[in-house]
Amino acid sequence: MASFDSLLDKDGVRLTVDDAIATVTLTNPAKRNAQSPALWRALAEAGRLLPGTVRVVVLRAEGKSFSAGLDRQAFTPEGFDGEPSFIDLARGSDAELDAAIAEYQDGFTWWRRSDIVSVAAVQGHAIGAGFQLALACDLRVVADDVQFAMRETGLGLVPDLTGTHPLVGLVGYARALEICATGRFVQAEEAQRTGLANIAVPVGQLDDTVNELAAALLAAPRDALVETKALLQGASDRTYEEQRVAERAAQGRRLRDLAGLSD
């Protein structure tokens, strides 16, 4: 496969592309990949920079922890250099605060685009924003040392980086509420049993397992996978009959394409 140099490497995020596979890596292990607004903007930029050849995006993290969540510097009066502190944001208007949070969310929204499949490789701590970043992906492969936790509620906040929708979809309302309200750790066995993780493996096998999964995803014809993902993503918002109609329409497109009759 043709290899490309790094397309992005800044603010704790590196994007590399090797033909149909892109890898987004969190690169600040000294701080357990703690997150900041600059990192969120870099994640959003990585999504914009993806070449059209990419079919699978793998999200990894350097070090022993996937991400320890929001960098606590955000809660200090000085905040981050060159950034308004969260205290400053709270003093702004409702519209300004909403716009700031919406910008932060942009780094978490592109992972479920229908033209790609995203896979998070998660080891060690995935706390708060780290948990939500893993939830932003389509699939999660976890190491046996993984520790998910949603700590925002205990800090007087709410999870606001797009994690609540996939969490409820994966584990149901009652368990999602319990996880968020208590802030407890969810470890590998429970994560796999409840659907938070697709696969749980020993930490030494994490990279190889993710690579094998990426290869299996690439084995499916791209257009068929795109159509299938779109069908599954919309299923919960459709009635049974509406889903039948959507299946027929999608299959019609596939058959016409295979027969060379598509427009």
Side-chain angles (χ1 to χ4, degrees):
M1 293 186 294
S3 294
F4 294 81
D5 293 333
S6 174
L7 300 185
L8 178 74
D9 194 353
K10 68 179 185 181
D11 298 322
V13 175
R14 183 171 61 244
L15 167 66
T16 57
V17 175
D18 187 0
D19 197 13
I21 299 178
T23 302
V24 176
T25 306
L26 305 182
T27 60
N28 192 4
K31 296 194 74 171
R32 295 195 300 161
N33 297 306
Q35 299 184 28
S36 67
L39 181 143
W40 296 332
R41 284 193 289 271
L43 287 173
E45 185 175 353
R48 293 192 295 270
L49 290 174
L50 285 183
T53 56
V54 169
R55 296 182 53 194
V56 175
V57 181
V58 175
L59 172 63
R60 303 181 186 272
E62 294 179 350
K64 294 183 177 180
S65 292
F66 178 75
S67 174
L70 179 63
D71 190 324
R72 294 301 180 92
Q73 188 174 336
F75 296 107
T76 63
E78 62 272 15
F80 302 100
D81 290 342
E83 301 274 358
S85 71
F86 281 15
I87 295 172
D88 291 334
L89 288 175
R91 293 179 176 135
S93 68
D94 288 348
E96 290 169 335
L97 184 56
D98 182 77
I101 297 173
E103 181 191 23
Y104 299 158
Q105 290 175 331
D106 285 344
F108 294 73
T109 56
W110 61 268
W111 303 88
R112 290 179 180 261
R113 283 168 27 186
S114 61
D115 60 321
I116 59 172
V117 177
S118 54
V119 182
V122 189
Q123 78 280 2
H125 290 94
I127 310 297
F131 192 4
Q132 293 187 78
L133 184 55
L135 286 167
C137 293
D138 295 306
L139 308 174
R140 280 151 297 283
V141 180
V142 303
D144 56 7
D145 68 345
V146 76
Q147 296 190 73
F148 290 116
M150 202 72 83
R151 294 292 173 82
E152 286 84 350
T153 307
L155 295 172
L157 303 169
V158 300
D160 67 336
L161 295 171
T162 78
T164 56
H165 189 279
L167 182 62
V168 172
L170 289 166
V171 304
Y173 159 75
R175 190 180 295 270
L177 175 59
E178 180 255 331
I179 288 171
C180 292
T182 65
R184 69 174 178 86
F185 286 119
V186 177
Q187 297 180 332
E189 186 278 331
E190 181 183 357
Q192 185 172 26
R193 173 168 47 82
T194 59
L196 278 174
N198 297 86
I199 308 169
V201 296
V203 65
Q205 299 177 18
L206 183 61
D207 287 345
D208 287 345
T209 302
V210 170
N211 292 339
E212 290 170 4
L213 177 57
L217 293 168
L218 290 178
R222 180 171 195 162
D223 290 344
L225 184 55
V226 168
E227 291 273 15
T228 299
K229 180 176 177 178
L231 271 175
L232 295 173
Q233 284 181 315
S236 62
D237 296 324
R238 302 187 188 104
T239 65
Y240 178 77
E241 289 302 320
E242 288 170 341
Q243 186 70 1
R244 289 179 63 205
V245 171
E247 288 175 359
R248 295 198 301 270
Q251 192 70 304
R253 289 190 292 272
R254 292 284 71 246
L255 289 171
R256 290 190 183 92
D257 186 60
L258 291 173
L261 299 174
S262 58
D263 294 334

